[in-house]
Amino acid sequence: MMTYPHNSIALRLSGMFTLVALVVFLLIGGALYQQVDKGLGLLPEAELEARYSVLESALNRFGTPEHWVKINAKLKLLGEEDKRIRFWVVSGDPGYEYGQPDAAIRAFAQGPLGMHDLQLPDHPYPLKVLLTELPAKDQRPPLRFMIGIDTETFHETQHNLLIALIGLAIVGVLMASALGYWVARIGLKPLIKLSHEAQRLAPPLRAGRLRLSPLPPELAQFVDSFNSTLERVEQAYSRLESFNADVAHELRSPLTNLIGQTQVALTRGRSAEHYFEVLQSNLEELERLRSIINDMLFLASADQGNKATKLTSTSLADEVATTLEYLDFILEDAQVEVQVSGDALVQIEVAHLRRALINLLSNAVQHTGPGQVIEVRIEVEAHQVSIGVANPGSPIASEHLPRLFERFYRVDASRSNSGNNHGLGLAIVKAIALMHGGDVFVRSDRGMNTFGIYLPV
Ligand SMILES: Nc1ncnc2c1ncn2[C@@H]1O[C@H](COP(=O)(O)OP(=O)(O)O)[C@@H](O)[C@H]1O
Ligand SMILES: [Mg+2]
């Protein structure tokens, strides 16, 4: 048995799990990253506000140079305590300045008040800066006060978070695909068990059915249809077997007759008339054999799906009349009369139709007593034409009706009168109907037995 690894259901499921995990991690990770990033972005500003609020009152309270020395020392101390923090004080008066502001800082300090980003030349990341103005107080002029914080640590945190999220996502996706494969293998166990069981079903299939228990509902329908296929195969198989047995039976009696007659003739010298009679009788048996074999060949070709091809537009009443002429002597012998009613034009292969009519009519003659009447009715219906051959006769039990068109099926299983009848007549009628896209029917009511065919118009 060929297996295609890339087609494996377990692999495909685990691939889908991986895809789902990837999408979920991307969505959750992206949302998480955005939220944390927003929070991180606010942190420097909050820290600046907090630090400024501690300093603000001291800055506003004092205006003398002595106090400014103290404030400068305080700012210096704070800057040394936390290297991320920088202070600048800009004013016209060098006595009230701090942080050695260069031209760029001075220009920045004259800009609008509030929170800003300030890129210093020696820093990889911008500083977050809070710019405020202090009004003049005592001897000191108005000041511009700047407090800045280095955002490098925040950027580092952000970067680390991104790496951690990507790492987690990769590990998560890998785990989802491995676990997915494992879970899929477990989930598919019933399927594997089922295929093992199917392998155990070896011909001749007798009573062999898939029996999985417990049966998962997803597989119930499959098991059902598989089992009914097995059932049909089994039936076809047993029909084939009994067909073979029937064929052997049918062939045996003419052969036995042939051999018996020939042996008797050979026991001693016979007159020419005697040999003539034996040959005559042998010829009849041989013709019987040929007719059985012809019928079987015809059925075999119909089985292979051969359809009627040489269709000609034909009047059914005309065909029935021709067939009756052909059966003239038989009808006379049996002393039965045939009445034909109705007519229709159909597309039909004439030789086939005639063969079907002969089979139907000769059956009817065989089952009709002397002096009685056989009725042939041709009726046009909506989408089809029916030809029914009805003869008076004892009712046929309903259990036989659907099976009469089967090969070798007879109501009287003893094969009486098997001289001329080998049980394939109605099977051939049915094959001919099917070859024309039609069907057969049989009815047994009010003392009349009707056998017939439907043909499409
Ligand atoms: N007109 C009929 N009336 C009653 N029974 C019939 C009639 N035609 C066919 N049958 C039944 O159907 C069986 C099958 O018919 P057929 O296939 O022609 O085989 P055969 O005539 O060789 O027995 C017959 O054995 C008979 O039991
Ligand atoms: Mg017959």
Side-chain angles (χ1 to χ4, degrees), residues 359-360 363-368 389 391 393-394 396 404-406 408-412 416-417 420-428 449 451:
N359 287 357
L360 288 174
N363 276 354
V365 173
Q366 277 159 30
H367 292 90
T368 307
V389 178
N391 62 280
S394 45
I396 305 171
L404 288 177
F405 290 91
E406 284 176 21
F408 297 116
Y409 190 87
R410 293 169 165 109
V411 173
D412 174 12
S416 64
N417 189 22
N420 305 312
N421 302 292
H422 41 266
L424 292 176
L426 289 180
I428 285 185
N449 294 328
F451 291 76

PDB file of all heavy atoms in Angstrom, residues 359-360 363-368 389 391 393-394 396 404-406 408-412 416-417 420-428 449 451, ligand 1:
ATOM      1  N   ASN A 359     -39.986 -13.874 -26.481  1.00  0.00           N
ATOM      2  CA  ASN A 359     -39.897 -14.450 -25.134  1.00  0.00           C
ATOM      3  C   ASN A 359     -41.192 -14.239 -24.356  1.00  0.00           C
ATOM      4  O   ASN A 359     -41.701 -15.163 -23.711  1.00  0.00           O
ATOM      5  CB  ASN A 359     -38.726 -13.846 -24.364  1.00  0.00           C
ATOM      6  CG  ASN A 359     -37.397 -14.355 -24.882  1.00  0.00           C
ATOM      7  OD1 ASN A 359     -37.364 -15.199 -25.778  1.00  0.00           O
ATOM      8  ND2 ASN A 359     -36.302 -13.859 -24.333  1.00  0.00           N
ATOM      9  N   LEU A 360     -41.719 -13.006 -24.410  1.00  0.00           N
ATOM     10  CA  LEU A 360     -42.946 -12.705 -23.656  1.00  0.00           C
ATOM     11  C   LEU A 360     -44.122 -13.523 -24.183  1.00  0.00           C
ATOM     12  O   LEU A 360     -44.881 -14.120 -23.415  1.00  0.00           O
ATOM     13  CB  LEU A 360     -43.273 -11.205 -23.738  1.00  0.00           C
ATOM     14  CG  LEU A 360     -42.363 -10.266 -22.953  1.00  0.00           C
ATOM     15  CD1 LEU A 360     -42.718  -8.816 -23.243  1.00  0.00           C
ATOM     16  CD2 LEU A 360     -42.491 -10.543 -21.445  1.00  0.00           C
ATOM     17  N   ASN A 363     -43.817 -17.331 -23.492  1.00  0.00           N
ATOM     18  CA  ASN A 363     -44.180 -17.602 -22.097  1.00  0.00           C
ATOM     19  C   ASN A 363     -45.695 -17.607 -21.934  1.00  0.00           C
ATOM     20  O   ASN A 363     -46.263 -18.486 -21.284  1.00  0.00           O
ATOM     21  CB  ASN A 363     -43.596 -16.531 -21.167  1.00  0.00           C
ATOM     22  CG  ASN A 363     -42.162 -16.848 -20.793  1.00  0.00           C
ATOM     23  OD1 ASN A 363     -41.655 -17.907 -21.132  1.00  0.00           O
ATOM     24  ND2 ASN A 363     -41.528 -15.926 -20.091  1.00  0.00           N
ATOM     25  N   ALA A 364     -46.329 -16.578 -22.513  1.00  0.00           N
ATOM     26  CA  ALA A 364     -47.787 -16.465 -22.375  1.00  0.00           C
ATOM     27  C   ALA A 364     -48.482 -17.698 -22.970  1.00  0.00           C
ATOM     28  O   ALA A 364     -49.403 -18.246 -22.363  1.00  0.00           O
ATOM     29  CB  ALA A 364     -48.272 -15.189 -23.064  1.00  0.00           C
ATOM     30  N   VAL A 365     -48.015 -18.125 -24.157  1.00  0.00           N
ATOM     31  CA  VAL A 365     -48.634 -19.298 -24.786  1.00  0.00           C
ATOM     32  C   VAL A 365     -48.484 -20.512 -23.873  1.00  0.00           C
ATOM     33  O   VAL A 365     -49.438 -21.278 -23.673  1.00  0.00           O
ATOM     34  CB  VAL A 365     -47.989 -19.565 -26.161  1.00  0.00           C
ATOM     35  CG1 VAL A 365     -48.502 -20.879 -26.736  1.00  0.00           C
ATOM     36  CG2 VAL A 365     -48.292 -18.420 -27.108  1.00  0.00           C
ATOM     37  N   GLN A 366     -47.290 -20.656 -23.280  1.00  0.00           N
ATOM     38  CA  GLN A 366     -47.067 -21.828 -22.422  1.00  0.00           C
ATOM     39  C   GLN A 366     -47.983 -21.839 -21.201  1.00  0.00           C
ATOM     40  O   GLN A 366     -48.299 -22.890 -20.665  1.00  0.00           O
ATOM     41  CB  GLN A 366     -45.621 -21.842 -21.925  1.00  0.00           C
ATOM     42  CG  GLN A 366     -44.660 -22.451 -22.923  1.00  0.00           C
ATOM     43  CD  GLN A 366     -43.246 -21.998 -22.630  1.00  0.00           C
ATOM     44  OE1 GLN A 366     -42.911 -21.734 -21.476  1.00  0.00           O
ATOM     45  NE2 GLN A 366     -42.449 -21.905 -23.672  1.00  0.00           N
ATOM     46  N   HIS A 367     -48.352 -20.641 -20.726  1.00  0.00           N
ATOM     47  CA  HIS A 367     -49.145 -20.579 -19.500  1.00  0.00           C
ATOM     48  C   HIS A 367     -50.623 -20.351 -19.777  1.00  0.00           C
ATOM     49  O   HIS A 367     -51.372 -19.992 -18.871  1.00  0.00           O
ATOM     50  CB  HIS A 367     -48.594 -19.490 -18.573  1.00  0.00           C
ATOM     51  CG  HIS A 367     -47.244 -19.832 -18.026  1.00  0.00           C
ATOM     52  ND1 HIS A 367     -46.075 -19.474 -18.664  1.00  0.00           N
ATOM     53  CD2 HIS A 367     -46.863 -20.540 -16.940  1.00  0.00           C
ATOM     54  CE1 HIS A 367     -45.045 -19.902 -17.977  1.00  0.00           C
ATOM     55  NE2 HIS A 367     -45.490 -20.562 -16.920  1.00  0.00           N
ATOM     56  N   THR A 368     -51.042 -20.518 -21.024  1.00  0.00           N
ATOM     57  CA  THR A 368     -52.456 -20.296 -21.354  1.00  0.00           C
ATOM     58  C   THR A 368     -53.094 -21.603 -21.834  1.00  0.00           C
ATOM     59  O   THR A 368     -52.506 -22.319 -22.639  1.00  0.00           O
ATOM     60  CB  THR A 368     -52.577 -19.250 -22.485  1.00  0.00           C
ATOM     61  OG1 THR A 368     -51.863 -18.085 -22.101  1.00  0.00           O
ATOM     62  CG2 THR A 368     -54.034 -18.875 -22.723  1.00  0.00           C
ATOM     63  N   VAL A 389     -48.040  -8.057 -22.086  1.00  0.00           N
ATOM     64  CA  VAL A 389     -48.604  -9.294 -22.630  1.00  0.00           C
ATOM     65  C   VAL A 389     -49.326  -9.983 -21.476  1.00  0.00           C
ATOM     66  O   VAL A 389     -48.701 -10.396 -20.505  1.00  0.00           O
ATOM     67  CB  VAL A 389     -47.499 -10.203 -23.199  1.00  0.00           C
ATOM     68  CG1 VAL A 389     -48.103 -11.500 -23.720  1.00  0.00           C
ATOM     69  CG2 VAL A 389     -46.727  -9.484 -24.288  1.00  0.00           C
ATOM     70  N   ASN A 391     -52.022 -12.883 -19.993  1.00  0.00           N
ATOM     71  CA  ASN A 391     -52.714 -14.147 -20.280  1.00  0.00           C
ATOM     72  C   ASN A 391     -53.456 -14.602 -19.042  1.00  0.00           C
ATOM     73  O   ASN A 391     -53.032 -14.332 -17.917  1.00  0.00           O
ATOM     74  CB  ASN A 391     -51.719 -15.214 -20.738  1.00  0.00           C
ATOM     75  CG  ASN A 391     -50.702 -15.542 -19.678  1.00  0.00           C
ATOM     76  OD1 ASN A 391     -49.738 -14.810 -19.503  1.00  0.00           O
ATOM     77  ND2 ASN A 391     -50.920 -16.628 -18.935  1.00  0.00           N
ATOM     78  N   GLY A 393     -54.457 -16.934 -16.117  1.00  0.00           N
ATOM     79  CA  GLY A 393     -53.658 -17.970 -15.472  1.00  0.00           C
ATOM     80  C   GLY A 393     -53.813 -17.873 -13.981  1.00  0.00           C
ATOM     81  O   GLY A 393     -54.340 -16.878 -13.470  1.00  0.00           O
ATOM     82  N   SER A 394     -53.380 -18.896 -13.275  1.00  0.00           N
ATOM     83  CA  SER A 394     -53.509 -18.861 -11.819  1.00  0.00           C
ATOM     84  C   SER A 394     -52.565 -17.796 -11.269  1.00  0.00           C
ATOM     85  O   SER A 394     -51.504 -17.556 -11.819  1.00  0.00           O
ATOM     86  CB  SER A 394     -53.200 -20.224 -11.223  1.00  0.00           C
ATOM     87  OG  SER A 394     -52.048 -20.744 -11.820  1.00  0.00           O
ATOM     88  N   ILE A 396     -49.836 -15.544  -9.441  1.00  0.00           N
ATOM     89  CA  ILE A 396     -48.447 -15.821  -9.031  1.00  0.00           C
ATOM     90  C   ILE A 396     -48.252 -15.180  -7.661  1.00  0.00           C
ATOM     91  O   ILE A 396     -48.602 -14.008  -7.460  1.00  0.00           O
ATOM     92  CB  ILE A 396     -47.455 -15.202 -10.042  1.00  0.00           C
ATOM     93  CG1 ILE A 396     -47.763 -15.705 -11.453  1.00  0.00           C
ATOM     94  CG2 ILE A 396     -46.019 -15.514  -9.660  1.00  0.00           C
ATOM     95  CD1 ILE A 396     -46.977 -14.996 -12.546  1.00  0.00           C
ATOM     96  N   LEU A 404     -38.906 -12.792 -10.780  1.00  0.00           N
ATOM     97  CA  LEU A 404     -39.100 -13.579 -12.000  1.00  0.00           C
ATOM     98  C   LEU A 404     -38.144 -13.175 -13.126  1.00  0.00           C
ATOM     99  O   LEU A 404     -37.847 -13.983 -14.002  1.00  0.00           O
ATOM    100  CB  LEU A 404     -40.544 -13.460 -12.498  1.00  0.00           C
ATOM    101  CG  LEU A 404     -41.561 -14.205 -11.619  1.00  0.00           C
ATOM    102  CD1 LEU A 404     -42.973 -13.967 -12.136  1.00  0.00           C
ATOM    103  CD2 LEU A 404     -41.254 -15.699 -11.628  1.00  0.00           C
ATOM    104  N   PHE A 405     -37.667 -11.910 -13.073  1.00  0.00           N
ATOM    105  CA  PHE A 405     -36.773 -11.461 -14.145  1.00  0.00           C
ATOM    106  C   PHE A 405     -35.312 -11.810 -13.856  1.00  0.00           C
ATOM    107  O   PHE A 405     -34.429 -11.470 -14.632  1.00  0.00           O
ATOM    108  CB  PHE A 405     -36.930  -9.950 -14.371  1.00  0.00           C
ATOM    109  CG  PHE A 405     -38.255  -9.597 -14.995  1.00  0.00           C
ATOM    110  CD1 PHE A 405     -39.368  -9.301 -14.207  1.00  0.00           C
ATOM    111  CD2 PHE A 405     -38.398  -9.586 -16.371  1.00  0.00           C
ATOM    112  CE1 PHE A 405     -40.590  -8.993 -14.783  1.00  0.00           C
ATOM    113  CE2 PHE A 405     -39.624  -9.274 -16.952  1.00  0.00           C
ATOM    114  CZ  PHE A 405     -40.717  -8.978 -16.170  1.00  0.00           C
ATOM    115  N   GLU A 406     -35.057 -12.450 -12.704  1.00  0.00           N
ATOM    116  CA  GLU A 406     -33.695 -12.891 -12.409  1.00  0.00           C
ATOM    117  C   GLU A 406     -33.345 -14.104 -13.268  1.00  0.00           C
ATOM    118  O   GLU A 406     -34.219 -14.885 -13.644  1.00  0.00           O
ATOM    119  CB  GLU A 406     -33.569 -13.279 -10.933  1.00  0.00           C
ATOM    120  CG  GLU A 406     -33.496 -12.092 -10.005  1.00  0.00           C
ATOM    121  CD  GLU A 406     -33.470 -12.526  -8.550  1.00  0.00           C
ATOM    122  OE1 GLU A 406     -33.116 -13.701  -8.273  1.00  0.00           O
ATOM    123  OE2 GLU A 406     -33.805 -11.691  -7.694  1.00  0.00           O
ATOM    124  N   PHE A 408     -32.520 -17.636 -14.355  1.00  0.00           N
ATOM    125  CA  PHE A 408     -32.817 -19.001 -13.893  1.00  0.00           C
ATOM    126  C   PHE A 408     -33.859 -19.067 -12.799  1.00  0.00           C
ATOM    127  O   PHE A 408     -34.077 -20.114 -12.204  1.00  0.00           O
ATOM    128  CB  PHE A 408     -31.547 -19.728 -13.420  1.00  0.00           C
ATOM    129  CG  PHE A 408     -30.540 -19.924 -14.505  1.00  0.00           C
ATOM    130  CD1 PHE A 408     -29.295 -19.326 -14.444  1.00  0.00           C
ATOM    131  CD2 PHE A 408     -30.841 -20.707 -15.605  1.00  0.00           C
ATOM    132  CE1 PHE A 408     -28.368 -19.502 -15.449  1.00  0.00           C
ATOM    133  CE2 PHE A 408     -29.921 -20.898 -16.617  1.00  0.00           C
ATOM    134  CZ  PHE A 408     -28.677 -20.294 -16.547  1.00  0.00           C
ATOM    135  N   TYR A 409     -34.505 -17.917 -12.473  1.00  0.00           N
ATOM    136  CA  TYR A 409     -35.514 -17.978 -11.422  1.00  0.00           C
ATOM    137  C   TYR A 409     -36.823 -18.495 -12.009  1.00  0.00           C
ATOM    138  O   TYR A 409     -37.316 -18.001 -13.024  1.00  0.00           O
ATOM    139  CB  TYR A 409     -35.722 -16.610 -10.785  1.00  0.00           C
ATOM    140  CG  TYR A 409     -36.583 -16.697  -9.548  1.00  0.00           C
ATOM    141  CD1 TYR A 409     -36.009 -16.959  -8.304  1.00  0.00           C
ATOM    142  CD2 TYR A 409     -37.972 -16.568  -9.620  1.00  0.00           C
ATOM    143  CE1 TYR A 409     -36.783 -17.077  -7.167  1.00  0.00           C
ATOM    144  CE2 TYR A 409     -38.756 -16.695  -8.483  1.00  0.00           C
ATOM    145  CZ  TYR A 409     -38.158 -16.947  -7.277  1.00  0.00           C
ATOM    146  OH  TYR A 409     -38.914 -17.070  -6.147  1.00  0.00           O
ATOM    147  N   ARG A 410     -37.386 -19.505 -11.385  1.00  0.00           N
ATOM    148  CA  ARG A 410     -38.675 -20.035 -11.852  1.00  0.00           C
ATOM    149  C   ARG A 410     -39.594 -20.210 -10.655  1.00  0.00           C
ATOM    150  O   ARG A 410     -39.142 -20.521  -9.553  1.00  0.00           O
ATOM    151  CB  ARG A 410     -38.493 -21.410 -12.493  1.00  0.00           C
ATOM    152  CG  ARG A 410     -37.700 -21.387 -13.772  1.00  0.00           C
ATOM    153  CD  ARG A 410     -37.393 -22.829 -14.102  1.00  0.00           C
ATOM    154  NE  ARG A 410     -36.935 -22.995 -15.469  1.00  0.00           N
ATOM    155  CZ  ARG A 410     -35.674 -23.292 -15.753  1.00  0.00           C
ATOM    156  NH1 ARG A 410     -34.782 -23.425 -14.791  1.00  0.00           N
ATOM    157  NH2 ARG A 410     -35.320 -23.459 -17.000  1.00  0.00           N
ATOM    158  N   VAL A 411     -40.898 -20.020 -10.890  1.00  0.00           N
ATOM    159  CA  VAL A 411     -41.863 -20.270  -9.818  1.00  0.00           C
ATOM    160  C   VAL A 411     -41.812 -21.752  -9.465  1.00  0.00           C
ATOM    161  O   VAL A 411     -41.759 -22.139  -8.300  1.00  0.00           O
ATOM    162  CB  VAL A 411     -43.285 -19.874 -10.267  1.00  0.00           C
ATOM    163  CG1 VAL A 411     -44.293 -20.297  -9.207  1.00  0.00           C
ATOM    164  CG2 VAL A 411     -43.359 -18.383 -10.529  1.00  0.00           C
ATOM    165  N   ASP A 412     -41.774 -22.562 -10.495  1.00  0.00           N
ATOM    166  CA  ASP A 412     -41.700 -24.013 -10.297  1.00  0.00           C
ATOM    167  C   ASP A 412     -40.228 -24.408 -10.336  1.00  0.00           C
ATOM    168  O   ASP A 412     -39.610 -24.504 -11.386  1.00  0.00           O
ATOM    169  CB  ASP A 412     -42.475 -24.692 -11.438  1.00  0.00           C
ATOM    170  CG  ASP A 412     -42.309 -26.201 -11.378  1.00  0.00           C
ATOM    171  OD1 ASP A 412     -41.803 -26.696 -10.353  1.00  0.00           O
ATOM    172  OD2 ASP A 412     -42.697 -26.857 -12.367  1.00  0.00           O
ATOM    173  N   SER A 416     -39.428 -28.185 -14.462  1.00  0.00           N
ATOM    174  CA  SER A 416     -40.251 -29.001 -15.350  1.00  0.00           C
ATOM    175  C   SER A 416     -40.312 -28.282 -16.691  1.00  0.00           C
ATOM    176  O   SER A 416     -40.078 -27.067 -16.783  1.00  0.00           O
ATOM    177  CB  SER A 416     -41.661 -29.142 -14.775  1.00  0.00           C
ATOM    178  OG  SER A 416     -42.262 -27.879 -14.726  1.00  0.00           O
ATOM    179  N   ASN A 417     -40.636 -29.017 -17.708  1.00  0.00           N
ATOM    180  CA  ASN A 417     -40.733 -28.438 -19.050  1.00  0.00           C
ATOM    181  C   ASN A 417     -39.431 -27.740 -19.443  1.00  0.00           C
ATOM    182  O   ASN A 417     -39.439 -26.738 -20.136  1.00  0.00           O
ATOM    183  CB  ASN A 417     -41.899 -27.428 -19.094  1.00  0.00           C
ATOM    184  CG  ASN A 417     -42.166 -26.984 -20.524  1.00  0.00           C
ATOM    185  OD1 ASN A 417     -41.796 -27.695 -21.455  1.00  0.00           O
ATOM    186  ND2 ASN A 417     -42.789 -25.827 -20.675  1.00  0.00           N
ATOM    187  N   ASN A 420     -37.658 -26.778 -23.498  1.00  0.00           N
ATOM    188  CA  ASN A 420     -37.550 -25.580 -24.333  1.00  0.00           C
ATOM    189  C   ASN A 420     -37.200 -24.338 -23.528  1.00  0.00           C
ATOM    190  O   ASN A 420     -36.879 -23.309 -24.088  1.00  0.00           O
ATOM    191  CB  ASN A 420     -38.870 -25.324 -25.057  1.00  0.00           C
ATOM    192  CG  ASN A 420     -39.293 -26.535 -25.855  1.00  0.00           C
ATOM    193  OD1 ASN A 420     -38.482 -27.104 -26.592  1.00  0.00           O
ATOM    194  ND2 ASN A 420     -40.533 -26.949 -25.671  1.00  0.00           N
ATOM    195  N   ASN A 421     -37.308 -24.453 -22.224  1.00  0.00           N
ATOM    196  CA  ASN A 421     -37.135 -23.270 -21.394  1.00  0.00           C
ATOM    197  C   ASN A 421     -35.947 -23.467 -20.475  1.00  0.00           C
ATOM    198  O   ASN A 421     -35.922 -24.409 -19.699  1.00  0.00           O
ATOM    199  CB  ASN A 421     -38.382 -23.049 -20.540  1.00  0.00           C
ATOM    200  CG  ASN A 421     -39.607 -22.912 -21.422  1.00  0.00           C
ATOM    201  OD1 ASN A 421     -39.743 -21.937 -22.143  1.00  0.00           O
ATOM    202  ND2 ASN A 421     -40.448 -23.937 -21.388  1.00  0.00           N
ATOM    203  N   HIS A 422     -35.003 -22.557 -20.582  1.00  0.00           N
ATOM    204  CA  HIS A 422     -33.872 -22.701 -19.667  1.00  0.00           C
ATOM    205  C   HIS A 422     -33.791 -21.568 -18.668  1.00  0.00           C
ATOM    206  O   HIS A 422     -32.742 -21.293 -18.100  1.00  0.00           O
ATOM    207  CB  HIS A 422     -32.563 -22.889 -20.433  1.00  0.00           C
ATOM    208  CG  HIS A 422     -32.467 -22.007 -21.634  1.00  0.00           C
ATOM    209  ND1 HIS A 422     -32.843 -22.437 -22.886  1.00  0.00           N
ATOM    210  CD2 HIS A 422     -32.072 -20.744 -21.768  1.00  0.00           C
ATOM    211  CE1 HIS A 422     -32.655 -21.445 -23.750  1.00  0.00           C
ATOM    212  NE2 HIS A 422     -32.197 -20.414 -23.099  1.00  0.00           N
ATOM    213  N   GLY A 423     -34.876 -20.846 -18.493  1.00  0.00           N
ATOM    214  CA  GLY A 423     -34.929 -19.882 -17.383  1.00  0.00           C
ATOM    215  C   GLY A 423     -34.226 -18.564 -17.634  1.00  0.00           C
ATOM    216  O   GLY A 423     -34.012 -17.792 -16.706  1.00  0.00           O
ATOM    217  N   LEU A 424     -33.878 -18.278 -18.898  1.00  0.00           N
ATOM    218  CA  LEU A 424     -33.220 -17.000 -19.179  1.00  0.00           C
ATOM    219  C   LEU A 424     -34.124 -16.047 -19.961  1.00  0.00           C
ATOM    220  O   LEU A 424     -33.758 -14.899 -20.207  1.00  0.00           O
ATOM    221  CB  LEU A 424     -31.929 -17.230 -19.964  1.00  0.00           C
ATOM    222  CG  LEU A 424     -30.808 -17.938 -19.187  1.00  0.00           C
ATOM    223  CD1 LEU A 424     -29.614 -18.194 -20.087  1.00  0.00           C
ATOM    224  CD2 LEU A 424     -30.376 -17.123 -17.978  1.00  0.00           C
ATOM    225  N   GLY A 425     -35.333 -16.517 -20.329  1.00  0.00           N
ATOM    226  CA  GLY A 425     -36.213 -15.718 -21.196  1.00  0.00           C
ATOM    227  C   GLY A 425     -36.508 -14.334 -20.645  1.00  0.00           C
ATOM    228  O   GLY A 425     -36.275 -13.319 -21.317  1.00  0.00           O
ATOM    229  N   LEU A 426     -37.016 -14.259 -19.399  1.00  0.00           N
ATOM    230  CA  LEU A 426     -37.380 -12.951 -18.849  1.00  0.00           C
ATOM    231  C   LEU A 426     -36.143 -12.125 -18.519  1.00  0.00           C
ATOM    232  O   LEU A 426     -36.180 -10.897 -18.608  1.00  0.00           O
ATOM    233  CB  LEU A 426     -38.249 -13.133 -17.605  1.00  0.00           C
ATOM    234  CG  LEU A 426     -39.678 -13.642 -17.867  1.00  0.00           C
ATOM    235  CD1 LEU A 426     -40.447 -13.779 -16.556  1.00  0.00           C
ATOM    236  CD2 LEU A 426     -40.417 -12.707 -18.806  1.00  0.00           C
ATOM    237  N   ALA A 427     -35.032 -12.798 -18.151  1.00  0.00           N
ATOM    238  CA  ALA A 427     -33.789 -12.061 -17.895  1.00  0.00           C
ATOM    239  C   ALA A 427     -33.360 -11.330 -19.155  1.00  0.00           C
ATOM    240  O   ALA A 427     -32.895 -10.178 -19.106  1.00  0.00           O
ATOM    241  CB  ALA A 427     -32.694 -13.008 -17.426  1.00  0.00           C
ATOM    242  N   ILE A 428     -33.569 -11.983 -20.305  1.00  0.00           N
ATOM    243  CA  ILE A 428     -33.212 -11.339 -21.568  1.00  0.00           C
ATOM    244  C   ILE A 428     -34.168 -10.199 -21.892  1.00  0.00           C
ATOM    245  O   ILE A 428     -33.763  -9.131 -22.346  1.00  0.00           O
ATOM    246  CB  ILE A 428     -33.153 -12.395 -22.691  1.00  0.00           C
ATOM    247  CG1 ILE A 428     -31.862 -13.176 -22.494  1.00  0.00           C
ATOM    248  CG2 ILE A 428     -33.245 -11.760 -24.069  1.00  0.00           C
ATOM    249  CD1 ILE A 428     -31.546 -14.172 -23.540  1.00  0.00           C
ATOM    250  N   ASN A 449     -52.216 -12.665 -15.712  1.00  0.00           N
ATOM    251  CA  ASN A 449     -50.802 -12.412 -15.429  1.00  0.00           C
ATOM    252  C   ASN A 449     -50.236 -11.593 -16.584  1.00  0.00           C
ATOM    253  O   ASN A 449     -50.342 -11.987 -17.736  1.00  0.00           O
ATOM    254  CB  ASN A 449     -50.041 -13.720 -15.307  1.00  0.00           C
ATOM    255  CG  ASN A 449     -50.490 -14.518 -14.093  1.00  0.00           C
ATOM    256  OD1 ASN A 449     -50.863 -13.925 -13.077  1.00  0.00           O
ATOM    257  ND2 ASN A 449     -50.486 -15.830 -14.200  1.00  0.00           N
ATOM    258  N   PHE A 451     -46.941  -9.577 -18.166  1.00  0.00           N
ATOM    259  CA  PHE A 451     -45.499  -9.307 -18.190  1.00  0.00           C
ATOM    260  C   PHE A 451     -45.269  -8.290 -19.292  1.00  0.00           C
ATOM    261  O   PHE A 451     -45.869  -8.415 -20.366  1.00  0.00           O
ATOM    262  CB  PHE A 451     -44.690 -10.572 -18.503  1.00  0.00           C
ATOM    263  CG  PHE A 451     -44.712 -11.587 -17.405  1.00  0.00           C
ATOM    264  CD1 PHE A 451     -45.831 -12.378 -17.189  1.00  0.00           C
ATOM    265  CD2 PHE A 451     -43.611 -11.758 -16.577  1.00  0.00           C
ATOM    266  CE1 PHE A 451     -45.859 -13.313 -16.172  1.00  0.00           C
ATOM    267  CE2 PHE A 451     -43.632 -12.700 -15.557  1.00  0.00           C
ATOM    268  CZ  PHE A 451     -44.758 -13.477 -15.350  1.00  0.00           C
TER     269      PHE A 451
HETATM  270  N1  LIG B   1     -47.053 -15.721 -18.732  1.00  0.00           N
HETATM  271  C1  LIG B   1     -46.635 -16.286 -17.588  1.00  0.00           C
HETATM  272  N2  LIG B   1     -47.540 -16.729 -16.689  1.00  0.00           N
HETATM  273  C2  LIG B   1     -47.135 -17.268 -15.524  1.00  0.00           C
HETATM  274  N3  LIG B   1     -45.845 -17.418 -15.157  1.00  0.00           N
HETATM  275  C3  LIG B   1     -44.896 -16.991 -16.006  1.00  0.00           C
HETATM  276  C4  LIG B   1     -45.233 -16.396 -17.248  1.00  0.00           C
HETATM  277  N4  LIG B   1     -44.090 -16.039 -17.875  1.00  0.00           N
HETATM  278  C5  LIG B   1     -43.086 -16.406 -17.058  1.00  0.00           C
HETATM  279  N5  LIG B   1     -43.541 -16.986 -15.925  1.00  0.00           N
HETATM  280  C6  LIG B   1     -42.764 -17.480 -14.784  1.00  0.00           C
HETATM  281  O1  LIG B   1     -41.478 -16.883 -14.848  1.00  0.00           O
HETATM  282  C7  LIG B   1     -40.472 -17.880 -14.897  1.00  0.00           C
HETATM  283  C8  LIG B   1     -39.299 -17.389 -15.721  1.00  0.00           C
HETATM  284  O2  LIG B   1     -39.621 -17.235 -17.059  1.00  0.00           O
HETATM  285  P1  LIG B   1     -38.500 -17.323 -18.149  1.00  0.00           P
HETATM  286  O3  LIG B   1     -37.437 -16.409 -17.749  1.00  0.00           O
HETATM  287  O4  LIG B   1     -39.107 -17.099 -19.479  1.00  0.00           O
HETATM  288  O5  LIG B   1     -37.951 -18.778 -18.003  1.00  0.00           O
HETATM  289  P2  LIG B   1     -38.565 -20.123 -18.543  1.00  0.00           P
HETATM  290  O6  LIG B   1     -39.732 -19.767 -19.401  1.00  0.00           O
HETATM  291  O7  LIG B   1     -37.462 -20.711 -19.275  1.00  0.00           O
HETATM  292  O8  LIG B   1     -38.956 -20.893 -17.328  1.00  0.00           O
HETATM  293  C9  LIG B   1     -41.155 -19.085 -15.472  1.00  0.00           C
HETATM  294  O9  LIG B   1     -40.526 -20.254 -15.068  1.00  0.00           O
HETATM  295  C10 LIG B   1     -42.533 -18.962 -14.880  1.00  0.00           C
HETATM  296  O10 LIG B   1     -42.520 -19.475 -13.558  1.00  0.00           O
END
